[in-house]
Amino acid sequence: MNDTTHGHKPRTPGAHRSRRWFMNKALLAGGVSAVAVMGGYAATTAGAEDSATADATASATPSGGPPAGGGFGQTIAYDDFVGVTTDGTVLDDLYTIHSTGVSTTPVIRAAQAFVDALTDEQKSATLFDVDSDQWLDWTNVDADDREGIALRDMTEQQYARGMKLLKSALSARGLKLANSIRKLNHFLGEYAGDTSKALNEDAYWFTIMGTPSATTPWGFQFEGHHLVVNYFVLGTQVVMTPTFMGSEPTKITYDGVEYDLFRQETVAGLRFLRSLDSTQLTAALSTEEKSGNDLIAGAGQDNAVLPYAGVKGSDLTHRQQQLLLDLAEVYVGYQDEGHARVRMREIEKHIDDTYFHWIGAYEDDSAFYYRVHSPVVLIEYDAQSPLAYQEGEDSAASPTASASPSGAPSGGPGGPQGDPTQQHIHTVIRTPNGNDYGVDLLKLHLETDH
């Protein structure tokens, strides 16, 4: 199926996926400033803590590959996509093609204007088929080798149109968080002494899948270090998953601006946990200790098998269910408000079958992991070990930066060091059972309209 080819050169199946996998492995072994791979760091390369495989009984990672958990897996082909499931079996009839009553005209027009501003050569590098493997080939490593066109390589007009596309897809809060992540990525480059490659605010790439249209399926991907947005559109329906957002550091004053990223995500998680009674709390809390990396469904884990764990929605009071929905809305609310409301109605229908799981302590400043998991949503939050930034250190490369020490170990860029901290947070939101990247909607579209 080829909704659009745009002259994009054919690629040997699996060739780019293999290159990306080995590139990530090489980055880890090299210990450069952004060993911050997909769910944090890889336990196999630094003698670090094992990641959270205890909660995942299976994974898409092939034998002999990197460990499951933490999102450090191997990219699969679009045709091999199944989606996140609890036991390897996809639940049917969760998603339908319908009118949401919310317009997608702004994002369609913004995408069309962005594509129109590209040169033929840029289009060849940036435009893909709507069912391209490129959807699944994302990573939050600070890699300098990605498909598409980077912000740093755009003309002033192209840059403005790219930013308008992102603005049309995200809410004001989501856009502010995305831009803050980019800005602190630049800080990290200054801190590490090199902003020329992937550690700067414009080392983020756009790719377009399909042709922006009100009737045919299409989407875009915005990808870089600590920030990946996948945005699929079919008519008035939108799927904005997987979306990965993270940062190191998260709380700092830089260029005269105070940043405190993921504060809402942290507070909303604590608020819900603290609403539980002793029986519910026992169900929610893991018996595992918090490690340096507990994220499971990051990049390369599109077919992750993750059983439910924690306290179940049907065992909550109405008020507690609402707090759980409020928590989910923090993440769903990254996308524009109209489509966020549509998504929240979908999530609310499954509130009784929604599970909440927690690893670690739960003081205000504790480093912890939690996830919200139902048939239609998976959210993970993970405070991780320091990788490239250590609090309390002076940095000659960035004299405008400052941070208050909070007991983190001393050290410098180069690898995971010390206990996990809220100064390094990774999050991801997914649509389980086959609808990440809008795959299930695309299948239904082809079955009914083609």
Side-chain angles (χ1 to χ4, degrees):
M1 185 273 296
N2 289 302
D3 276 345
T4 179
T5 59
H6 300 292
H8 189 76
K9 59 184 180 295
R11 182 185 299 132
T12 302
H16 181 61
R17 295 190 302 277
S18 178
R19 177 185 58 76
R20 171 65 63 83
W21 188 82
F22 285 112
M23 176 193 71
N24 291 338
K25 194 173 183 181
L27 276 172
L28 285 170
V32 289
S33 63
V35 244
V37 266
M38 313 186 224
Y41 60 87
T44 55
T45 60
E49 300 95 328
D50 290 336
S51 54
T53 54
D55 291 312
T57 58
S59 106
T61 307
S63 176
F72 189 47
Q74 185 173 16
T75 306
I76 57 175
Y78 190 96
D79 289 345
D80 295 329
F81 174 84
V82 174
V84 176
T85 62
T86 59
D87 59 4
T89 302
V90 173
L91 298 179
D92 294 326
D93 303 322
L94 289 172
Y95 311 108
T96 62
I97 295 177
H98 60 275
S99 174
T100 64
V102 181
S103 176
T104 51
T105 299
V107 74
I108 293 169
R109 289 178 176 172
Q112 290 171 336
F114 175 69
V115 172
D116 288 345
L118 301 179
T119 67
D120 288 344
E121 183 178 1
Q122 290 170 332
K123 288 178 181 178
S124 179
T126 304
L127 307 184
F128 292 78
D129 295 337
V130 72
D131 59 350
S132 171
D133 294 350
Q134 172 61 27
W135 277 120
L136 287 75
D137 195 25
W138 61 269
T139 171
N140 75 288
V141 175
D142 64 337
D144 200 39
D145 178 19
R146 301 176 191 266
E147 299 287 350
I149 181 172
L151 294 176
R152 67 185 180 205
D153 297 326
M154 295 181 186
T155 66
E156 185 176 341
Q157 181 194 56
Q158 291 168 342
Y159 192 102
R161 292 188 179 185
M163 288 295 95
K164 187 172 183 179
L165 173 56
L166 201 62
K167 182 179 180 180
S168 68
L170 303 181
S171 65
R173 180 168 61 83
L175 183 64
K176 181 180 180 180
L177 178 56
N179 288 338
S180 295
I181 290 169
R182 291 173 48 224
K183 191 68 176 180
L184 292 192
N185 189 49
H186 195 96
F187 160 77
L188 203 57
E190 291 187 355
Y191 181 81
D194 184 4
T195 60
S196 66
K197 297 177 182 177
L199 295 180
N200 66 74
E201 63 183 310
D202 288 334
Y204 292 84
W205 282 253
F206 275 107
T207 49
I208 305 289
M209 273 62 86
T211 302
S213 164
T215 56
T216 59
W218 68 280
F220 75 88
Q221 186 177 82
F222 186 68
E223 179 192 15
H225 185 217
H226 278 148
L227 175 60
V228 182
V229 176
N230 289 286
Y231 196 93
F232 173 86
V233 182
L234 177 59
T236 62
Q237 291 180 266
V238 164
V239 179
M240 202 179 91
T241 63
T243 289
F244 181 105
M245 293 198 183
S247 187
E248 184 187 23
T250 60
K251 187 174 184 178
I252 196 169
T253 299
Y254 175 52
D255 279 349
V257 178
E258 292 185 6
Y259 294 90
D260 193 0
L261 277 59
F262 302 105
R263 180 52 34 196
Q264 285 182 271
E265 292 81 354
T266 301
V267 171
L270 287 167
R271 182 182 296 120
F272 173 76
L273 187 78
R274 291 169 179 173
S275 76
L276 302 179
D277 63 30
S278 58
T279 301
Q280 295 166 329
L281 189 63
T282 298
L285 294 179
S286 173
T287 58
E288 302 292 324
E289 291 188 7
K290 179 75 182 78
S291 75
N293 167 23
D294 292 290
L295 197 81
I296 295 170
Q301 295 291 346
D302 287 306
N303 285 354
V305 175
L306 179 59
Y308 291 130
V311 63
K312 191 176 181 180
S314 57
D315 294 329
L316 303 175
T317 66
H318 177 74
R319 175 180 173 274
Q320 290 169 332
Q321 287 186 345
Q322 187 56 57
L323 287 175
L324 187 56
L325 290 171
D326 290 346
L327 172 56
E329 197 279 330
V330 173
Y331 296 84
V332 173
Y334 296 154
Q335 66 188 111
D336 70 275
E337 289 82 356
H339 290 102
R341 287 193 296 270
V342 172
R343 179 76 162 121
M344 284 306 301
R345 288 197 294 269
E346 180 182 63
I347 292 171
E348 187 173 6
K349 289 179 182 178
H350 297 272
I351 188 63
D352 284 346
D353 296 317
T354 301
Y355 290 76
F356 181 84
H357 186 58
W358 185 284
I359 302 175
Y362 39 93
E363 300 299 324
D364 288 353
D365 59 352
S366 297
F368 49 77
Y369 163 95
Y370 68 73
R371 69 172 175 262
V372 179
H373 190 187
S374 85
V376 296
V377 70
L378 171 63
I379 294 166
E380 290 187 281
Y381 166 109
D382 192 28
Q384 304 193 340
S385 288
L387 284 172
Y389 172 77
Q390 298 289 341
E391 287 187 292
E393 279 202 327
D394 293 329
S395 174
S398 183
T400 61
S402 65
S404 300
S406 64
S410 61
Q417 303 179 48
D419 295 330
T421 167
Q422 287 187 20
Q423 280 285 35
H424 187 194
I425 291 174
H426 285 188
T427 71
V428 68
I429 177 171
R430 284 184 173 271
T431 307
N433 291 295
N435 209 30
D436 273 337
Y437 316 102
V439 173
D440 194 67
L441 290 185
L442 180 58
K443 289 179 180 178
L444 291 173
H445 170 74
L446 294 176
E447 291 171 0
T448 57
D449 295 349
H450 282 230

